[in-house]
């Protein structure tokens, strides 16, 4: 009698998490980010050269009586914190758009010459026109950022631009504009002294009227960034695939560059050039939300202010009674992250 032995069947593959489950996880992470942002906002208002208890922070926000703590909360720390939230969200969102557009994991808004254009316009306004107010810097910085972005797009081939050509054009424009900035500063010591207070990148000493002036540009840039999230998803699959999916590549590139210009230009105008926020945050949040820009962009807009305000708090407490500017803290942290990224074995290529 012949006995037939059948091999045991392999265990069926574990099904992937349903889309609804993934959405729930991503939404939960976003809510966690909002809670963390609220905690950092309270800490930013409470921590400083003069520590203010949380009950006094609440009193200063909602029960104004004109005490010294109330004035510190309302007139100094609340505008500083609000500016940090807006600038952080703008830089994080601009970095995410920049990396997706160029398909370069090490890109940040400065790659398109936005920061260099803003700096060149501001130093020109200081040295040639005698502008000394931060409100005046806003308009010149936005104009300079816009001109630089248009120039980079034109050099990169306009609608026929590729990520590589955009990156090369941005590098060339950056080098030329920063050379101009350094040369003008060396020939005008007054401009050098004034520029020093702007170019360090800080939230300290900024007046409360700066944010209302910059807010329309920040909101317009955020709306544009969210509007191009879906076509940027298609472009991440390759240009041929994006065309087959109906994406309009030239229009998407132009709108993305406009969004980067508005977001990064306005943030740079009011806070000075703050580096690495747009580089670090997209990498950090992709581990939770994945590469889908429809989730990546909101995550960056929430977690980037957490990084910026957290760095600002660290700068306040490291060397009391003086402060270390937030641009210095983010540059130090960003340098470490950059070294980690370039040493990874699997860094995405252009």
């Amino acid at each position: 009698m012949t006995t037939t032995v059948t091999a045991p069947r392999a265990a069926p593959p574990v099904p992937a998490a349903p889309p609804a489950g993934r959405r729930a996880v991503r939404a939960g992470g976003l809510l966690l980010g909002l809670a963390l942002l609220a905690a950092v906002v309270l800490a930013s208002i409470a921590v400083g050269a003069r520590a203010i208890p949380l009950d006094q922070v609440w009193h200063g926000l909602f029960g104004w009586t004109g005490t010294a703590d109330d004035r510190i909360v309302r007139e100094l720390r609340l505008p500083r914190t609000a500016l940090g939230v807006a600038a952080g969200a703008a830089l994080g969102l601009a970095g995410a758009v920049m990396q997706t557009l160029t398909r370069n994991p090490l890109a940040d808004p400065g790659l398109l010459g936005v920061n260099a254009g803003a700096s060149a316009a501001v130093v020109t306004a200081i040295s040639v026109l005698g502008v000394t107010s931060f409100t005046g810097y806003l308009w010149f910085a936005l104009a300079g950022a816009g001109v630089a972005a248009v120039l980079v797009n034109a050099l990169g081939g306009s609608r026929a631009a590729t990520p590589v050509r955009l990156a090369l054009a941005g590098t060339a424009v950056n080098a030329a504009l920063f050379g101009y900035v350094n040369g003008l500063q060396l020939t005008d010591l007054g401009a050098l002294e004034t520029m020093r207070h702007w170019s360090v990148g800080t939230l300290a000493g900024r007046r409360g009227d700066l944010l209302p002036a910059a807010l329309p540009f920040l909101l317009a840039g955020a709306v544009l960034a969210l509007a191009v999230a879906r076509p940027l998803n298609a472009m991440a699959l390759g240009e041929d695939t994006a065309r087959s999916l109906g994406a309009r590549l030239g229009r998407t590139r132009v709108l993305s560059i406009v969004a980067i210009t508005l977001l990064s230009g306005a943030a740079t105008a009011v806070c000075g050039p703050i580096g690495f926020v747009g580089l670090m945050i997209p990498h950090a949040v992709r581990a939770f939300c994945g590469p889908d820009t429809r989730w990546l962009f909101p995550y960056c807009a929430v977690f980037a202010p957490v990084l910026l305000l957290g760095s600002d708090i660290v700068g306040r407490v490291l060397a009391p009674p003086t402060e270390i500017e937030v641009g210095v803290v983010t540059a130090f942290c960003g340098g470490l992250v950059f070294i980690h990224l370039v040493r990874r074995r699997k860094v995405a290529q252009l």
Side-chain angles (χ1 to χ4, degrees):
M1 181 176 179
T2 304
T3 303
T4 303
V5 178
T6 58
R9 293 182 179 180
V14 178
R22 289 197 295 270
R23 287 196 297 269
V25 171
R26 289 168 172 172
L30 200 57
L31 291 176
L32 178 62
L34 289 171
L36 184 60
L37 177 59
V40 175
V41 165
L42 287 177
S44 176
I45 297 175
V47 176
R50 175 170 176 164
I52 300 177
L54 290 180
D55 59 336
Q56 292 298 320
V57 170
W58 185 266
H59 184 272
L61 291 174
F62 303 104
W64 170 267
T65 57
T67 64
D69 285 346
D70 287 350
R71 288 196 297 271
I72 292 174
V73 168
R74 287 271 190 101
E75 298 173 6
L76 296 178
R77 294 189 185 170
L78 182 60
R80 177 174 183 165
T81 301
L83 189 61
V85 171
L91 293 173
L93 192 53
V97 175
M98 184 75 253
Q99 291 181 14
T100 308
L101 175 66
T102 62
R103 299 200 296 275
N104 183 349
L106 300 180
D108 68 352
L111 188 66
L112 280 186
V114 174
N115 290 345
S119 298
V122 170
V123 74
T124 301
I126 293 172
S127 179
V128 178
L129 303 177
V131 178
T132 57
S133 68
F134 285 103
T135 306
Y137 298 163
L138 172 64
W139 299 104
F140 284 96
L142 282 170
V147 170
V150 170
L151 180 60
V152 169
N153 193 42
L155 292 176
S158 189
R159 294 190 176 185
T162 64
V164 173
R165 296 178 70 177
L166 282 175
L168 292 175
T171 302
V173 171
N174 264 322
L177 289 178
F178 277 124
Y180 165 78
V181 169
N182 292 332
L184 194 58
Q185 286 179 331
L186 291 176
T187 58
D188 188 341
L189 297 181
L192 174 62
E193 180 64 21
T194 306
M195 188 73 176
R196 182 176 62 86
H197 296 286
W198 178 83
S199 63
V200 69
T202 182
L203 299 176
R206 302 302 193 246
R207 298 196 313 271
D209 60 346
L210 278 179
L211 182 57
L215 196 58
F217 303 100
L218 296 174
L219 291 177
V223 170
L224 280 177
L226 296 176
V228 298
R230 188 180 293 272
L232 282 176
N233 264 344
M235 290 179 64
L237 301 175
E239 294 188 359
D240 293 336
T241 303
R243 288 191 184 95
S244 67
L245 294 174
R248 300 170 62 180
L249 303 189
R251 177 176 178 270
T252 301
R253 286 195 188 95
V254 171
L255 292 179
S256 298
I257 291 173
V258 172
I260 294 168
T261 302
L262 290 173
L263 291 167
S264 184
T268 302
V270 296
C271 298
I274 298 177
F276 289 104
V277 174
L279 171 64
M280 290 186 286
I281 289 299
H283 282 281
V285 301
R286 280 193 189 98
F288 301 97
C289 67
D292 188 344
T293 54
R294 293 171 297 178
W295 286 96
L296 176 65
F297 290 176
Y299 262 76
C300 289
V302 170
F303 282 93
V306 174
L307 172 63
L308 189 61
L309 288 179
S311 300
D312 188 43
I313 294 170
V314 170
R316 298 183 211 175
V317 301
L318 277 183
T322 60
E323 294 185 10
I324 299 176
E325 285 75 7
V326 65
V328 177
V329 179
T330 58
F332 177 79
C333 297
L336 298 178
V337 172
F338 187 84
I339 292 172
H340 167 70
L341 291 176
V342 298
R343 288 181 60 86
R344 288 174 57 184
R345 293 183 178 180
K346 295 182 179 180
V347 175
Q349 302 295 321
L350 282 173

XYZ file of all heavy atoms in Angstrom, residues 156-192:
253
model
N 17.342 76.844 -14.911
C 17.121 75.399 -14.917
C 16.309 74.908 -16.097
O 16.119 73.692 -16.245
N 15.799 75.831 -16.921
C 15.071 75.403 -18.105
C 13.585 75.638 -18.033
O 12.835 75.086 -18.837
N 13.130 76.425 -17.044
C 11.715 76.741 -16.882
C 10.887 75.469 -16.828
O 11.107 74.624 -15.973
C 11.259 77.676 -18.008
O 9.950 78.148 -17.742
N 9.933 75.294 -17.747
C 9.039 74.138 -17.667
C 9.743 72.828 -18.004
O 9.245 71.753 -17.689
C 7.844 74.341 -18.603
C 6.937 75.482 -18.173
C 5.656 75.489 -18.964
N 4.754 76.527 -18.486
C 3.519 76.695 -18.929
N 3.038 75.889 -19.870
N 2.764 77.666 -18.443
N 10.879 72.903 -18.678
C 11.629 71.694 -18.997
C 12.683 71.382 -17.943
O 13.540 70.534 -18.151
C 12.292 71.840 -20.363
N 12.606 72.063 -16.818
C 13.617 71.871 -15.781
C 13.538 70.473 -15.200
O 12.470 69.890 -15.072
C 13.427 72.908 -14.677
N 14.686 69.927 -14.864
C 14.768 68.646 -14.159
C 15.296 68.904 -12.761
O 15.879 69.963 -12.485
C 15.711 67.691 -14.914
O 17.044 68.249 -14.899
C 15.260 67.487 -16.354
N 15.128 67.953 -11.833
C 15.665 68.156 -10.490
C 17.157 68.467 -10.475
O 17.623 69.309 -9.706
C 15.356 66.822 -9.799
C 14.141 66.318 -10.507
C 14.307 66.736 -11.928
N 17.927 67.794 -11.343
C 19.374 68.028 -11.370
C 19.673 69.451 -11.827
O 20.498 70.165 -11.237
C 20.065 67.004 -12.285
C 21.547 67.345 -12.442
C 19.912 65.607 -11.722
N 18.997 69.911 -12.870
C 19.252 71.261 -13.397
C 18.821 72.327 -12.398
O 19.497 73.355 -12.253
C 18.531 71.440 -14.721
C 19.039 70.518 -15.825
C 18.274 70.691 -17.111
N 18.563 71.987 -17.731
C 18.069 72.370 -18.900
N 17.260 71.562 -19.569
N 18.365 73.553 -19.388
N 17.721 72.105 -11.713
C 17.303 73.055 -10.681
C 18.332 73.137 -9.569
O 18.654 74.225 -9.074
C 15.946 72.650 -10.116
C 14.709 72.988 -10.951
C 13.468 72.404 -10.294
C 14.563 74.490 -11.129
N 18.852 71.986 -9.135
C 19.839 71.981 -8.058
C 21.120 72.693 -8.480
O 21.702 73.476 -7.711
C 20.144 70.543 -7.640
N 21.577 72.440 -9.701
C 22.799 73.091 -10.191
C 22.588 74.594 -10.345
O 23.458 75.397 -9.973
C 23.227 72.465 -11.516
C 23.715 71.012 -11.464
C 23.998 70.491 -12.859
C 24.957 70.904 -10.582
N 21.442 74.992 -10.886
C 21.165 76.424 -11.038
C 21.068 77.095 -9.682
O 21.575 78.214 -9.487
C 19.867 76.620 -11.829
N 20.437 76.443 -8.719
C 20.339 77.006 -7.370
C 21.694 77.168 -6.714
O 21.962 78.175 -6.046
N 22.571 76.186 -6.900
C 23.922 76.286 -6.333
C 24.692 77.455 -6.929
O 25.371 78.206 -6.211
C 24.679 74.973 -6.584
O 23.960 73.886 -5.992
C 26.074 75.036 -5.989
N 24.562 77.637 -8.242
C 25.273 78.743 -8.897
C 24.738 80.093 -8.427
O 25.516 81.015 -8.117
C 25.120 78.611 -10.413
N 23.421 80.232 -8.344
C 22.833 81.499 -7.906
C 23.188 81.774 -6.451
O 23.492 82.915 -6.065
C 21.305 81.473 -8.117
C 20.642 82.679 -7.459
C 20.984 81.441 -9.607
N 23.166 80.740 -5.619
C 23.561 80.902 -4.217
C 24.968 81.456 -4.097
O 25.230 82.387 -3.336
C 23.469 79.550 -3.492
C 22.166 79.358 -2.759
O 21.636 80.292 -2.185
N 21.649 78.159 -2.789
N 25.907 80.856 -4.830
C 27.305 81.287 -4.751
C 27.462 82.738 -5.188
O 28.158 83.536 -4.537
C 28.175 80.367 -5.609
N 26.803 83.118 -6.283
C 26.929 84.482 -6.783
C 26.320 85.495 -5.812
O 26.922 86.541 -5.514
C 26.259 84.589 -8.151
N 25.138 85.199 -5.282
C 24.462 86.153 -4.411
C 25.169 86.296 -3.065
O 25.291 87.414 -2.540
C 23.005 85.729 -4.203
C 22.093 85.895 -5.426
C 20.687 85.405 -5.114
C 22.059 87.340 -5.887
N 25.623 85.203 -2.509
C 26.333 85.316 -1.235
C 27.685 86.003 -1.408
O 28.175 86.669 -0.499
C 26.498 83.944 -0.580
C 25.297 83.504 0.197
C 24.676 82.308 -0.078
C 24.785 84.301 1.216
C 23.558 81.898 0.638
C 23.674 83.908 1.936
C 23.052 82.706 1.646
N 28.313 85.836 -2.571
C 29.514 86.606 -2.855
C 29.220 88.094 -2.889
O 29.988 88.914 -2.365
N 28.095 88.469 -3.492
C 27.681 89.874 -3.515
C 27.404 90.391 -2.102
O 27.819 91.501 -1.746
C 26.437 90.013 -4.389
C 25.708 91.324 -4.223
C 26.180 92.486 -4.821
C 24.533 91.392 -3.464
C 25.511 93.689 -4.676
C 23.858 92.593 -3.312
C 24.355 93.735 -3.909
O 23.694 94.930 -3.758
N 26.713 89.585 -1.289
C 26.400 89.990 0.091
C 27.679 90.232 0.879
O 27.835 91.266 1.557
C 25.532 88.921 0.773
C 25.425 89.187 2.272
C 24.144 88.893 0.155
N 28.624 89.297 0.794
C 29.870 89.447 1.549
C 30.672 90.649 1.066
O 31.252 91.388 1.869
C 30.704 88.170 1.419
C 30.068 86.985 2.115
O 29.332 87.154 3.095
N 30.333 85.784 1.624
N 30.706 90.866 -0.229
C 31.451 92.008 -0.751
C 30.851 93.331 -0.317
O 31.583 94.265 0.059
N 29.528 93.434 -0.336
C 28.888 94.684 0.066
C 29.062 94.944 1.557
O 29.261 96.090 1.981
C 27.398 94.630 -0.291
C 26.629 95.955 -0.243
C 27.270 96.968 -1.179
C 25.166 95.739 -0.621
N 29.039 93.903 2.348
C 29.236 94.081 3.788
C 30.647 94.553 4.096
O 30.860 95.372 5.002
C 28.954 92.769 4.519
C 27.477 92.419 4.607
C 27.254 91.104 5.327
O 28.099 90.219 5.295
N 26.118 90.967 5.966
N 31.634 94.042 3.389
C 33.016 94.427 3.652
C 33.292 95.875 3.261
O 34.186 96.511 3.826
C 33.970 93.493 2.905
C 34.024 92.052 3.429
C 34.928 91.197 2.550
C 34.514 92.027 4.876
N 32.541 96.384 2.286
C 32.770 97.770 1.862
C 31.898 98.772 2.624
O 32.096 99.967 2.482
C 32.483 97.913 0.348
O 31.131 97.506 0.078
C 33.439 97.034 -0.459
N 30.954 98.295 3.406
C 30.059 99.179 4.154
C 29.942 98.628 5.576
O 29.153 97.727 5.851
C 28.694 99.242 3.482
C 27.776 100.294 4.112
O 28.047 100.713 5.258
O 26.785 100.691 3.465
N 30.756 99.165 6.482
C 30.778 98.656 7.853
C 29.446 98.897 8.567
O 29.052 98.117 9.438
C 31.924 99.299 8.637
C 33.330 98.989 8.118
C 34.369 99.664 9.003
C 33.555 97.482 8.085
N 28.746 99.977 8.214
C 27.441 100.219 8.809
C 26.445 99.139 8.425
O 25.661 98.659 9.252
N 26.473 98.760 7.162
C 25.595 97.675 6.716
C 25.971 96.362 7.379
O 25.110 95.555 7.728
C 25.680 97.535 5.193
N 27.280 96.158 7.580
C 27.730 94.936 8.244
C 27.189 94.847 9.661
O 26.714 93.797 10.102
C 29.263 94.885 8.254
C 29.901 93.726 9.032
C 29.499 92.394 8.423
C 31.419 93.877 9.054
